[in-house]
Amino acid sequence: QVRLVESGGGSVQAGGSLRLSCVASGLAVSTECMGWFRQVVGKEREAVASVVSGGDNTMVASSVKGRFTISQDNAKNMFYLQMNNLKVEDTAMYYCAADRRAGYARLLAPEAFNFWGRGTQVAVSS
């Protein structure tokens, strides 16, 4: 059974940093396309950053480019999102997702991912 569990969310002031973690079980992050997505209540889920299986190619949403980076630890089967210079508009529920079939062309498409965590809340205040 696949399980993704996010952690690391919280409240931070604008300009601060947070590191989100996603621990996976039932699959190996090294063989999956992995992604971080976020959603604000009442809005559609949007991509933050994703990586193809193997970790060689990434896609980062323009709204976070230069501020957010993704990484993974295959030995620990974990996936990370480092968020720097946070802005108020980054406030959202952040979700980890996985699906080996997503592919590079669809890395920023939520519908390409079939396995999801329950999310961790990030709140950025001014």
Side-chain angles (χ1 to χ4, degrees):
Q1 182 179 356
V2 174
R3 190 171 183 221
L4 303 173
V5 180
E6 303 93 338
S7 62
S11 298
V12 63
Q13 286 192 320
S17 299
L18 284 173
R19 188 194 195 204
L20 304 185
S21 300
C22 173
V23 58
S25 57
L27 57 78
V29 299
S30 61
T31 63
E32 304 287 328
C33 295
M34 300 294 299
W36 286 100
F37 296 81
R38 66 187 183 185
Q39 189 169 21
V40 175
V41 174
K43 294 188 177 181
E44 292 187 354
R45 190 166 297 187
E46 64 175 9
V48 176
S50 299
V51 60
V52 294
S53 58
D56 290 335
N57 293 299
T58 62
M59 275 198 178
V60 181
S62 58
S63 58
V64 304
K65 193 167 290 184
R67 301 188 296 121
F68 291 11
T69 57
I70 53 175
S71 62
Q72 60 191 77
D73 185 329
N74 294 335
K76 295 182 179 179
N77 216 29
M78 293 191 69
F79 186 54
Y80 304 98
L81 178 67
Q82 178 66 45
M83 305 186 294
N84 298 327
N85 191 21
L86 281 159
K87 302 178 179 180
V88 172
E89 52 264 40
D90 295 320
T91 296
M93 185 72 81
Y94 283 71
Y95 298 91
C96 173
D99 198 318
R100 66 178 58 189
R101 299 164 298 179
Y104 182 75
R106 303 179 70 204
L107 276 182
L108 298 184
E111 61 270 20
F113 291 79
N114 283 298
F115 300 108
W116 293 85
R118 300 184 69 175
T120 185
Q121 180 69 43
V122 171
V124 185
S125 60
S126 59

